[in-house]
Amino acid sequence: MALHTLELDLAASAAKVTLPAPSHTGVTGSSDLEIMLTPAPLSGRVTVKIVTPVTGFDPLWARVMQKFLDETGLYDTAIEINDNNATPAVVLLRLQQALAAAL
Amino acid sequence: MEMQESMMGRGRDAIEMIVDAGSFAEGTVGTEAFADPEFGPGAVVGTATVQGTLCTIIASDGGAMNEKFPVVYAGIIGLEEGYKMAEAVYASIAADAEKPLAEKRPLVLIVDTPGNGPGKVEEIFGMNKSTAAYQLALAEARLKGHPIIAMVIGRAISGAFLCHGLQADAILSLDAQFGTMIHVMPLTSVSRIIRKDLETLEDLSKASAVFAAGPRFFHSLGGVEALVETVEGMRPAIAARIAEVRTAKAEGRQDDLGPWGRGKLGEARGGRTERPRVIALMNREFAEVAGRYAPAR
Amino acid sequence: MTNWTDLQSCRFIEASARERAIGLVDEGSFTELAGPFDRVTSPHLKLLGDAVAFDDGIVTGVGQIGRTPVFVISQEGRFIGGSVGEIGGAKMVNTIKLAIDFHDELVAKFADLDEEEKPMVVISFETGGVRLHEANAGLLAHAEVMDQLQKARGKVPVIALIGSKVGAFGGMGFVAAATDVIIMSEFGRLGLTGPEVIEQEMGKEEFDASDRALVFRTTGGRHKYIMGDANFLVENSIAAFREQVSALTGLSIEAFEEMRRIGSSAKVKAQLRAVALAAQMQPGDATEVWSHAGNTDAWGLIDLPLSDFLARVERLSV
């Protein structure tokens, strides 16, 4: 029952944007999540580390993250997420908010 | 482990077991007299000698019921009880105000309490103040040099243990064979509230004492200094602790005592290892910026 | 980054712990200690398979209001109800300790240090107390906080702010009571035993925990102001709390001692007069005490706009 950690290594379809500085947004409230975005020299790629009590949704996480990257073109960034049962819609929204706050 | 007769609800018996025979003067601490028997009956306060040393005794009386505040029975600390205990502490401080450190009278807390008064009248008038008042008084007495020893004989539950026990310099507890209960909540209730099955919690509690119930887990977290194996052992154990605490205070080792000292003990016993790490981290980070917050001159 | 000016008009009750911490002190002055970038998360939650937070649900740090260094502790109710575990508890304890140590350091270094230059501690409560997932460590941390509050006496004033959703209950209810000054909004709630537990203990006829108005009459800001438990009652905005804290900077430590409810034999004796009144009245509802305090239309106080309430209300004096 230990907490589930999922690590992904992804890339946006077209690299467009990266961050000036690390940023932290959100609260790991019920059905919510917090997000840490850290600029990193990753040759255009993006690493993702998700810590969540939920298991069995790894492919869905990968799809949501890929969608976010394709929409925004984020590259050279480490994304860390503490999740507490957020829905994919909330995850996407929070990622967009986190990026907007970081830029 | 052979079970022993429980001391639960027997705060008055425990006083007799701990103090020198016939020495307990109930209702008198220094110049303060607690004359009204109906005032805060759930708390017994008075003065006695323990192996010849004059001490203030503060105990819960599990057999008493407070007629004015019906939620107060079975050792519960109510509005009157919390303030009565605080008054006994302030009276001890006042009585020894002029005395040197080595002569400040010890306070012996006999702990057997299941909770703080949980009622509507209690909330309207602020039960939180009553329990806080007693804790502040104990902390003040401790910092002024009075050795404070808590002896857990039965129940030391959550907020009531914070109130009556956890501000002591040192905490002793009858060991598990006496059915001693030290916890925030029984594991069964924890299981219901945090929605984890009981078996899993019981399993995990073997490796991690942070949510398990019982004196031994508290001992491993540094929440209890020492376990006492027999009722006869209480008096000498308390007397020995008083002497140790006095020495520590005389040597200026206040930081080895009380809640902060138990934090250090928790680290030494391997039960609370995150605490020192985060404290050290904050200290380092503050040292880097402290200059910014000091006057510029 | 969060815009400080925007934060000022933020409703306090909905503001996150970090928004409150940043907005309460001067613009740009807040330095977070053991903040989210340090990624200190609870191993105990992890072991139980529960979600963790990079700050363990509490924001701690230091800022300034004018010339006063202000050590801030701000609890996040959205993370497990703002509950106190080993890490969050240690952050709280050590913030107060840092303030005391900094005070001693400044006093030793500057012979001409004035009151405004001495540190203070501000605690923005939003918690029900101990975190059950790591209950024992959380409990022991509460005792450490109480110890630090007493150690701060005569040196560093400690101000409690209560106006967030969860209120301040359980062990943190008495930690709040042990501070020097309590500032509340009318939406703040302060107590020891939560409404559900009272209902369980006394029965639904005596106390219906789902009756929100009853809960507020018993533990809410207006009631606590009438009882003298809250020293100040302010509007529900970060700016209003900030202004009240700011108005207290520079006061002598004796003035702070005066504002305390408990912490001396004399204050305990005064509280015991209120307890005697409680025994005599056995109020079935807080409004009975409001009437006793001299409010002829006690029920009318509930819906008055705050400024009218403050202008008209009689506070209990025993």
Side-chain angles (χ1 to χ4, degrees), chain C residues 120-133:
Chain C
M120 59 163 57
V121 173
V122 172
I123 309 175
S124 177
F125 287 93
E126 186 175 24
T127 177
V130 170
R131 179 183 295 165
L132 287 177
H133 309 71

Side-chain angles (χ1 to χ4, degrees), chain B residues 76-232:
Chain B
I76 283 176
I77 298 167
L79 286 167
E80 285 189 342
E81 282 73 14
Y83 289 129
K84 180 182 182 181
M85 292 158 129
E87 281 290 78
V89 179
Y90 286 127
S92 309
I93 297 173
D96 296 348
E98 306 303 322
K99 292 186 185 157
L101 195 61
E103 289 169 31
K104 302 277 187 194
R105 75 187 62 191
L107 285 77
V108 177
L109 320 180
I110 298 173
V111 181
D112 176 30
T113 173
N116 291 295
K120 180 161 64 180
V121 173
E122 278 72 13
E123 287 307 307
I124 289 173
F125 278 85
M127 184 62 220
N128 58 328
K129 288 178 294 182
S130 174
T131 173
Y134 178 38
Q135 292 175 64
L136 285 177
L138 285 172
E140 181 175 331
R142 170 166 45 76
L143 296 170
K144 283 189 167 152
H146 294 265
I148 307 180
I149 313 298
M151 179 74 234
V152 179
I153 60 158
R155 298 151 299 168
I157 312 296
S158 197
F161 188 27
L162 281 170
C163 180
H164 186 44
L166 280 169
Q167 285 304 319
D169 281 299
I171 302 172
L172 307 173
S173 174
L174 283 178
D175 202 351
Q177 65 266 30
F178 289 91
T180 320
M181 294 162 70
I182 307 184
H183 58 236
V184 170
M185 225 179 238
L187 215 49
T188 45
S189 310
V190 173
S191 149
R192 184 168 43 81
I193 293 171
I194 71 169
R195 296 191 293 267
K196 305 281 171 208
D197 72 70
L198 188 57
E199 272 180 37
T200 316
L201 287 185
E202 278 168 348
D203 242 21
L204 286 172
S205 66
K206 285 170 198 154
S208 165
V210 293
F211 57 83
R216 292 185 183 174
F217 292 115
F218 265 79
H219 182 267
S220 69
L221 292 171
V224 161
E225 269 79 359
L227 300 169
V228 177
E229 299 303 322
T230 62
V231 290
E232 297 74 28

Side-chain angles (χ1 to χ4, degrees), chain A residues 39-84:
Chain A
L42 294 169
S43 316
R45 300 190 68 82
V46 171
T47 59
V48 183
K49 182 181 171 190
I50 298 151
V51 177
T52 173
V54 190
T55 52
F57 290 94
D58 293 7
L60 187 58
W61 274 110
R63 262 167 49 207
V64 170
M65 296 310 299
Q66 187 63 52
K67 185 171 157 66
F68 167 68
L69 295 183
D70 290 345
E71 276 175 12
T72 58
L74 184 67
Y75 70 96
D76 275 358
T77 303
I79 302 178
E80 291 160 89
I81 291 173
N82 283 326
D83 167 66
N84 188 6

Side-chain angles (χ1 to χ4, degrees), chain B residues 68 87 90 120 123-124 128-129 135-136 142 162 167 196 209-212 221 274-275 283 285 293 297, chain C residues 29 31 34 38 50 86 94 112 117 136 143-144 147 173 192-193 206 223 229 263 269 271 282 284:
Chain B
K68 288 165 278 177
E87 281 290 78
Y90 286 127
K120 180 161 64 180
E123 287 307 307
I124 289 173
N128 58 328
K129 288 178 294 182
Q135 292 175 64
L136 285 177
R142 170 166 45 76
L162 281 170
Q167 285 304 319
K196 305 281 171 208
V210 293
F211 57 83
L221 292 171
E274 298 300 320
R275 176 192 171 281
N283 291 348
E285 290 181 349
Y293 298 95
R297 59 172 180 269
Chain C
S29 74
T31 302
D38 288 323
D50 275 357
E86 181 177 357
N94 202 45
D112 58 344
E117 292 169 321
N136 302 342
E144 287 192 56
D147 176 42
L192 180 57
T193 311
E206 269 298 303
H223 172 61
D229 291 3
K269 287 193 161 68
Q271 289 297 339
Q282 297 291 336

Side-chain angles (χ1 to χ4, degrees), chain B residues 57-77:
Chain B
I57 307 291
I58 306 177
S60 305
D61 182 357
M65 179 176 170
N66 191 323
E67 302 289 343
K68 288 165 278 177
F69 298 99
V71 298
V72 178
Y73 61 95
I76 283 176
I77 298 167

Side-chain angles (χ1 to χ4, degrees), chain B residues 18 23 28 31 43-45 63 82 129 133 150 155 164 175 210 235 240 267-268 295:
Chain B
I18 289 165
S23 73
T28 304
T31 58
V44 182
V45 303
K129 288 178 294 182
R155 298 151 299 168
H164 186 44
D175 202 351
V210 293
R235 186 192 324 208
E267 181 185 10

Side-chain angles (χ1 to χ4, degrees), chain C residues 144-176:
Chain C
E144 287 192 56
V145 173
M146 291 299 282
D147 176 42
Q148 292 300 333
L149 289 182
Q150 179 60 32
K151 284 173 174 159
R153 299 272 302 274
K155 292 181 175 181
V156 177
V158 182
I159 301 171
L161 311 183
I162 305 171
S164 297
K165 237 173 210 153
V166 179
F169 285 96
M172 282 292 147
F174 57 66
V175 166

Side-chain angles (χ1 to χ4, degrees), chain C residues 84-129:
Chain C
V84 178
E86 181 177 357
I87 289 167
K91 286 170 74 173
M92 191 172 186
V93 170
N94 202 45
T95 305
I96 306 171
K97 186 171 186 297
L98 280 170
I100 299 169
D101 291 349
F102 194 50
H103 168 276
D104 293 351
E105 192 186 314
L106 294 182
V107 167
K109 192 166 164 193
F110 300 99
D112 58 344
L113 197 72
D114 65 47
E115 293 298 335
E116 258 185 88
E117 292 169 321
K118 291 181 187 170
M120 59 163 57
V121 173
V122 172
I123 309 175
S124 177
F125 287 93
E126 186 175 24
T127 177

